[in-house]
Amino acid sequence: MSTNKGEKILQLENTYAKLPAVFYSLQKPVPVSKPNLVLFNKSLAKDLGLEFLNQQRDLISNYLSGNEIPDGSKPLAQAYAGHQFGHFTMLGDGRAILLGEQIDPNGKRFDIQLKGSGQTPYSRRGDGRASLYSMLREYLISESMHHLGIPTTRSLAVVSTGEKVFREQVHNGAILTRIAASHIRVGTFEYVSNFCTKEDLQILTKYTIKRHYPELSDKENPALELLKVVMQKQIDLIVNWMRVGFIHGVMNTDNMSIASETIDYGPCALMNSYNLNTVFSSIDTYGRYAYGNQPNIAQWNLTAFANSLLPIIAENQNEAIELAKDVLKDFQHIFKEKWYKMMFDKLGIFRPTEKDEDLVNDLLSLMKTNKSDYTQVFLALQHNKKLDNPLFNKQEFNHWIQKWNSPHHAPDFELMKRSNPKIIPRNHWVEDALEAAVEGNMIPFNQLFSKLSEPYGNHPDEFVFEEIPKEFDVNYQTFCGT
């Protein structure tokens, strides 16, 4: 990890590049004209064992713009396919380059990927670039999700390119450095299963298990066990999303990580008023990926994953199908159980009974009817605070509170405190911060980021319970950023 002069350098490994060549295309990032470091995540850099970069601003800019290739790096664009809004298509990294893998001080392996780094063989008429706005947005939301305690890819840096990006209008260009346990997706397995050999599928499965779930290596049917563990972890992830009101917005199979991290922050947003049908994505016309439909889509995606694994689950296809179906049939039961457990935690119900499911359902029904803020209602209950919302003046809600706060329940407020964030990345906060940032004023962005880094900490009531701009969410749309 050092030069002849004793100075540390960025030196990466590349186990993915040792897989069959059909899995990727070797591709260097396209250099940019004027790289400038906008954001660098020093805390994450320390966790990764990269804190020696902290004082080398020019070096960071060069490495993380793609203008300089780190030692040991074998840059590549990964091939994958996927079901996008239910339709299968060939995809791949159209604007991202995997530089390589960093081993952190604890021996864990992480991908370092540049997003917005130029055209690749998979760009499909795209320019391979990204806007400063969209990369700052991913940095903000992904790091917020991390601090909320939700598995996610991380953001190490944003580097502006000094170049323009043309979408509906002209934007400043930027590159995000994304950190992930890996970038292996359901879509990776779909690609290999559809376009490569059975041997390639076995190689990918073996590699994935060794990298993420080594405890499965000696199982009698590793592919089937991989399906089981990914299903469990996806359920945990979706339950966690719903705990804070997160809507991914584009749950295509190519955006479902086998490591079960939240990945690809395109048209994502967090819900204010509680409504299962909430959609913010500009391209989700029919609400396929609405807040309340996310569990169903996760099961759909897992079915696609299972279908990709069939050739190596069993030699006989009918037997493989039955084995996979036997795993997937438990999805709804497991999800329901974990979802209610999450809601009981939000309400501080430590020892729930079956009747307490009605308590949860009744509250959510009242919240929907009265367009109540999902985050603030749980905090108001926790702090015995009355909000300026019709819900708090309804007799039905007062009756509900009496049931919830009865001696039978005696809410555990410490449990509520751990389960209910005080602040989330509110849509209007995010937009205000980003609009200022792209104009060169990073102060609002940094102030918001600081607050979002402590979502369960102490914050002034006037900030926590700030009124959401009326009708803001009605016309609010988020975009893929491609």
Side-chain angles (χ1 to χ4, degrees):
M1 290 290 291
S2 63
T3 65
N4 293 333
K5 298 178 182 179
E7 296 176 349
K8 288 188 173 182
I9 58 172
L10 181 59
Q11 190 168 9
L12 304 175
E13 295 187 4
N14 287 87
T15 62
Y16 201 86
K18 296 177 182 177
L19 295 174
V22 292
F23 287 18
Y24 56 83
S25 294
L26 294 177
Q27 173 73 51
K28 289 184 179 181
V30 179
V32 301
S33 62
K34 193 178 179 182
N36 179 55
L37 186 62
V38 178
L39 288 168
F40 186 66
N41 192 333
K42 291 185 178 181
S43 173
L44 177 56
K46 181 178 180 181
D47 292 343
L48 291 170
L50 297 174
E51 61 182 323
F52 62 86
L53 289 172
N54 288 351
Q55 306 306 318
Q56 304 178 66
R57 191 178 183 90
D58 289 343
L59 186 59
I60 298 171
S61 297
N62 285 328
Y63 276 149
L64 303 186
S65 65
N67 279 14
E68 185 173 339
I69 305 301
D71 283 11
S73 176
K74 205 169 183 179
L76 58 86
Q78 292 178 318
Y80 51 85
H83 281 87
Q84 298 198 315
F85 287 86
H87 302 287
F88 184 72
T89 185
M90 176 60 199
L91 299 163
D93 287 331
R95 59 166 179 166
I97 296 294
L98 177 63
L99 287 182
E101 301 144 15
Q102 168 71 8
I103 310 301
D104 78 0
N106 296 315
K108 291 184 178 180
R109 183 180 300 273
F110 291 92
D111 279 0
I112 296 184
Q113 184 197 69
L114 302 184
K115 186 173 179 179
S117 51
Q119 288 185 322
T120 77
Y122 312 111
S123 292
R124 297 171 296 155
R125 302 188 306 277
D127 60 12
R129 292 303 189 187
S131 70
L132 177 61
Y133 172 95
S134 59
M135 296 302 93
L136 287 174
R137 192 172 195 277
E138 176 157 345
Y139 186 106
L140 185 68
I141 306 294
S142 66
E143 286 303 296
S144 176
M145 291 285 277
H146 167 72
H147 291 292
L148 284 164
I150 299 173
T152 178
T153 57
R154 303 285 306 275
S155 295
L156 180 62
V158 174
V159 176
S160 61
T161 63
E163 300 168 356
K164 298 298 181 182
V165 173
F166 300 90
R167 299 294 181 259
E168 290 81 9
Q169 53 189 356
V170 180
H171 301 271
N172 293 323
I175 295 171
L176 174 84
T177 304
R178 181 160 67 187
I179 307 298
S182 84
H183 285 82
I184 303 170
R185 312 152 186 263
V186 167
T188 312
F189 280 83
E190 289 187 288
Y191 163 74
V192 174
S193 184
N194 278 276
F195 301 115
C196 304
T197 67
K198 181 178 176 181
E199 182 183 1
D200 290 330
L201 183 60
Q202 289 170 328
I203 290 170
L204 176 63
T205 303
K206 186 175 181 180
Y207 175 84
T208 301
I209 288 173
K210 181 179 180 182
R211 182 159 177 177
H212 293 300
Y213 309 109
E215 67 278 7
L216 305 181
S217 297
D218 297 327
K219 296 290 186 178
E220 183 178 344
N221 192 331
L224 189 66
E225 295 300 322
L226 179 62
L227 174 62
K228 290 179 184 178
V229 73
V230 171
M231 183 178 82
Q232 291 283 350
K233 286 185 171 291
Q234 277 296 312
I235 289 172
D236 289 339
L237 181 64
I238 305 302
V239 167
N240 233 336
W241 286 0
M242 300 188 81
R243 176 175 65 87
V244 301
F246 176 77
I247 306 163
H248 186 280
V250 61
M251 286 179 66
N252 298 326
T253 55
D254 55 293
N255 292 336
M256 181 173 166
S257 161
I258 297 300
S260 291
E261 295 178 322
T262 312
I263 190 171
D264 282 325
Y265 290 87
C268 67
L270 279 84
M271 175 177 66
N272 290 317
S273 295
Y274 177 78
N275 191 325
L276 291 174
N277 297 321
T278 304
V279 173
F280 293 117
S281 170
S282 63
I283 57 175
D284 193 2
T285 309
Y286 299 105
R288 177 182 173 89
Y289 301 137
Y291 171 76
N293 206 36
Q294 293 179 131
N296 296 329
I297 293 300
Q299 186 176 22
W300 197 98
N301 290 349
L302 285 161
T303 303
F305 182 43
N307 191 56
S308 298
L309 291 171
L310 290 179
I312 58 173
I313 287 178
E315 288 291 336
N316 181 282
Q317 187 180 48
N318 290 333
E319 180 187 352
I321 290 171
E322 289 306 312
L323 287 169
K325 284 170 65 176
D326 195 52
V327 173
L328 295 170
K329 69 178 174 57
D330 291 332
F331 180 96
Q332 291 294 339
H333 169 72
I334 296 170
F335 179 85
K336 179 182 176 182
E337 191 174 76
K338 291 192 173 187
W339 182 84
Y340 272 114
K341 169 65 168 63
M342 175 271 290
M343 294 303 300
F344 293 146
D345 288 351
K346 285 177 74 68
L347 288 170
I349 301 175
F350 188 66
R351 292 186 178 85
T353 65
E354 195 171 319
K355 288 184 178 179
D356 289 327
E357 292 185 4
D358 292 334
L359 198 69
V360 170
N361 298 337
D362 290 346
L363 174 62
L364 294 178
S365 178
L366 286 167
M367 287 171 63
K368 179 185 177 182
T369 301
N370 292 279
K371 299 181 179 179
S372 305
D373 187 279
Y374 180 67
T375 300
Q376 290 183 356
V377 166
F378 288 99
L379 291 175
L381 291 171
Q382 184 179 316
H383 296 284
N384 192 27
K385 184 181 179 70
K386 186 174 182 178
L387 300 182
D388 183 18
N389 180 271
L391 174 69
F392 287 78
N393 295 319
K394 294 292 172 64
Q395 189 174 7
E396 302 98 308
F397 184 58
N398 291 327
H399 288 160
W400 182 91
I401 288 179
Q402 289 173 10
K403 290 180 185 177
W404 168 69
N405 207 8
S406 67
H408 160 66
H409 289 121
D412 184 334
F413 293 110
E414 286 302 314
L415 180 58
M416 293 182 74
K417 195 181 296 184
R418 294 193 298 271
S419 306
N420 297 305
K422 288 189 175 178
I423 59 171
I424 58 171
R426 299 280 185 182
N427 299 327
H428 65 294
W429 291 343
V430 170
E431 294 305 321
D432 288 347
L434 291 176
E435 285 176 15
V438 296
E439 294 297 325
N441 179 9
M442 289 296 295
I443 293 175
F445 183 99
N446 290 329
Q447 288 175 339
L448 178 59
F449 183 80
S450 177
K451 291 181 173 71
L452 294 175
S453 297
E454 296 183 292
Y456 304 97
N458 293 319
H459 299 281
D461 268 8
E462 58 268 26
F463 184 77
V464 173
F465 293 104
E466 178 182 310
E467 186 176 343
I468 310 305
K470 283 185 173 28
E471 304 302 315
F472 183 89
D473 281 359
V474 174
N475 298 312
Y476 182 60
Q477 285 193 320
T478 53
F479 302 88
C480 279
T482 53

